[in-house]
Amino acid sequence: MHNHAAAGKHIVITGGTSGVGLETARLLVAAAGMVFVIGSDEAKGAAAEQTLNEAASGSGLATYVRADLASLEDVRALAATIKAQVNHLDVLINNAGIVDTERRETVDGLERTFAVNYLAPFALTSALLPLLRQSAPSRVLSLTAALEPIGRLTFSDLQGDRHYGGLRAYSQSKKALAMYTTELARRERELGSGVSANVIDPFLVKTGLTGAETVPLLFKLARPLMVRPATPARWVARAALDSRLADTTGRHFILGHRIPSLSANHSRRQANRLWEISTRLTTSSGTPVR
């Protein structure tokens, strides 16, 4: 990666205090980027900011911003903070994700996996889109998962009210994120806004997320096949900075290679339906519309 590629670029990365997010932030800061690292744990955030800035030795700069993506109020406040601090935004990386074996609800009364992995990036991207358009050419990157292709969107039970399974909720949330990102790419291309949007599959990553006690058995069995976070971090950093990818949009990056979007075979009708539901769930106050 050429150093000048990131010089002075403003980049936001969610889930940037550990795992793939932290490794990606390290590469972006080293390439002289101004990186906003988002996470909910203040202690981890402060430590990440310090480590990143010490390693960068003045080339780039990491700034930790606390936000709990399980709260839509926090997501809106985060967008406001970013807009107050910078007048341009070059890259938004939707990286944060959780996996849970049991169904939990957020403060907004939403199923937690769907809220954090999908509705938070939907709301954050929507709120930052005017800034991204104003800063074009700019990029939106969404990290999905190796399980995304098996995910199914059950429109009648998106919140897992009737049937809940950790893997099912996780793969569905990643499927929704991929579908949204691909649809965003299509809409922005139609507008000619200069905002690109791509999906990155980090493959199977050895992180605290996949090693936690609460994860489904499949993750535990897959651990020997997993790559270290530094590997997908290189793919993400390249997708964020490489000038040769400036016109790439609506694509899936798998094992670092561009392929046509896996979500392209979804109907536009499905993508629009998801978009409408997401808008309603992220803007309605009080109890979510099921």
Side-chain angles (χ1 to χ4, degrees), residues 109-125:
L110 298 159
E111 188 275 310
R112 199 176 145 84
T113 306
F114 192 68
V116 173
N117 295 2
Y118 169 62
L119 288 173
F122 174 87
L124 183 61
T125 306

Side-chain angles (χ1 to χ4, degrees), residues 141-157:
L141 301 172
S142 295
L143 271 76
T144 57
L147 287 169
E148 182 262 317
I150 66 161
R152 286 215 319 276
L153 283 179
T154 312
F155 281 108
S156 58
D157 192 24

